[in-house]
Amino acid sequence: MSDVTGDEMPRMNEYRTIVVGTDGSALAEPTVARAAWLAHHNDADLVIVCAWSSLSRRAEARNTRGLADNRIGLVSGRQAATDAVTEAVEIARRHDARVAGALLVDGEPGPALIQVAGERRADLLVVGAIQDVSIADRLLGNVATDVVKRATCEVLIVRPPMPVTELEVAEDLVETPRPPEELPLD
């Protein structure tokens, strides 16, 4: 029983910090736009994260011996990741969101999002997801599944408005490893 009286209603969880992942794909725009809308309407900070790898997809394929394609959402190369985050910041600002951070994390997307959400004490983590198109996708897993299993905050999964079965993720041709860094917002 609640001790709410009169016109007072219990309020749903108000978000103070929202973390959103981007990879520069077709799914990134609606995902970032939804997170930005929520951040604006909750007067919350928005933190944008892009997981990237210093290896090209070709080098990744050699390193993972045939399972390179299971790294959905991982951007290859720092410049491609920087471009994805820059685009996401622009999308967020068009929706009047307060962008509190734009991060590049050299690593897998799921763990990167979980780590940043924990460090920033996020109340909500927003990820995009396409519909599973095969049993192989379910067996290999994806970023949304990884995040849902491990997140300690609420998770919102954004599906694209149109059917998307394959996503092009940005890639650099340069293979220069660099440490994680936060991009300037201006």
Side-chain angles (χ1 to χ4, degrees), residues 81-157:
T82 300
D83 293 345
V85 168
T86 300
E87 181 181 331
V89 168
E90 290 172 9
I91 292 166
R93 288 185 172 156
R94 283 197 305 263
H95 289 274
D96 297 321
R98 182 176 59 243
V99 180
L103 303 170
L104 300 179
V105 180
D106 190 355
E108 296 292 326
L113 289 168
I114 297 294
Q115 175 188 344
V116 171
E119 290 171 353
R120 297 290 179 118
R121 297 179 167 217
D123 306 295
L124 178 66
L125 209 161
V126 181
V127 295
I130 59 175
Q131 294 178 346
D132 290 333
V133 294
S134 70
I135 191 70
D137 289 340
R138 289 187 203 109
L139 291 174
L140 293 173
N142 59 43
V143 177
T145 300
D146 190 29
V147 168
V148 167
K149 287 179 182 176
R150 299 177 48 214
T152 58
C153 62
E154 291 184 20
V155 176
L156 172 64
I157 298 174

Side-chain angles (χ1 to χ4, degrees), residues 4-10:
V4 176
T5 59
D7 293 327
E8 294 178 39
M9 294 291 293

Side-chain angles (χ1 to χ4, degrees), residues 25-27 69 72 130-131 133 137 163-169:
S25 71
L27 183 54
D69 289 337
I72 295 170
I130 59 175
Q131 294 178 346
V133 294
D137 289 340
V164 176
T165 57
E166 194 171 307
L167 297 174
E168 286 289 323
V169 177

Side-chain angles (χ1 to χ4, degrees), residues 27-42:
L27 183 54
E29 185 169 352
T31 302
V32 172
R34 173 57 71 184
W37 185 89
L38 286 166
H40 174 72
H41 288 283
N42 283 273

Side-chain angles (χ1 to χ4, degrees), residues 21-89:
T22 186
D23 62 7
S25 71
L27 183 54
E29 185 169 352
T31 302
V32 172
R34 173 57 71 184
W37 185 89
L38 286 166
H40 174 72
H41 288 283
N42 283 273
D43 193 30
D45 289 336
L46 182 64
V47 178
I48 299 169
V49 179
C50 182
W52 69 286
S53 172
S54 56
L55 298 176
S56 69
R57 293 224 185 260
R58 186 171 298 189
E60 288 250 338
R62 285 191 303 263
N63 286 348
T64 57
R65 297 185 182 159
L67 293 177
D69 289 337
N70 71 346
R71 301 184 69 170
I72 295 170
L74 183 68
V75 176
S76 292
R78 183 184 181 281
Q79 186 56 52
T82 300
D83 293 345
V85 168
T86 300
E87 181 181 331
V89 168

